[in-house]
Amino acid sequence: VQLVESGGGLVQAGGSLRLSCAASESIFNFYGMGWFRQAPGKERERVAAMAMGGSTYYADSVKGRFTISRDNTKNTLYLQMTSLKPEDTAMYYCASFLSLPITTTTPRYWGQGTQVTVSS
């Protein structure tokens, strides 16, 4: 399984970005998919996740600002990020789950990551 992220970049605080994650196979082969991030010197954080049944999870730090969605026909996961803050700066990774729950399960497959940098 390959997961390929895109859409990262440099944006000013208050701006928006949309990340995409293209899977090499049907996303219905997974129990769920999600987005994680890791900033230098910090632990990896579960940002948002979506189970195939449609339930979602968001970290408190991004609730109301980030939205996870998917396009089943394109086998693609998205993360719409708005009102970005400098503390959102991190490498963002797409991942897929082979079990539940999406809130705590460690993903089985990971993408290579896409950098998001938010300037103040």
Side-chain angles (χ1 to χ4, degrees):
V1 175
Q2 290 187 330
L3 302 173
V4 180
E5 303 97 332
S6 60
L10 174 64
V11 64
Q12 289 188 333
S16 299
L17 282 174
R18 189 178 78 156
L19 305 184
S20 299
C21 171
S24 61
E25 60 183 64
S26 172
I27 61 176
F28 287 105
N29 290 345
F30 313 127
Y31 279 76
M33 298 185 73
W35 292 95
F36 293 71
R37 68 185 180 187
Q38 187 166 24
K42 295 188 176 181
E43 293 187 355
R44 185 174 58 196
E45 176 186 18
R46 190 179 311 245
V47 175
M50 175 181 281
M52 285 303 106
S55 60
T56 57
Y57 161 85
Y58 294 96
D60 287 343
S61 57
V62 306
K63 280 181 181 177
R65 300 189 299 122
F66 290 11
T67 303
I68 190 170
S69 63
R70 68 183 188 230
D71 185 329
N72 300 334
T73 64
K74 296 181 179 180
N75 294 322
T76 300
L77 183 75
Y78 302 101
L79 185 68
Q80 179 69 50
M81 305 185 294
T82 63
S83 301
L84 282 162
K85 305 174 182 180
E87 50 265 43
D88 294 318
T89 295
M91 184 71 78
Y92 283 71
Y93 298 91
C94 173
S96 60
F97 302 92
L98 294 186
S99 62
L100 297 174
I102 58 173
T103 53
T104 57
T105 298
T106 298
R108 175 64 176 85
Y109 301 107
W110 295 86
Q112 82 289 350
T114 186
Q115 179 68 36
V116 172
T117 302
V118 184
S119 62
S120 57

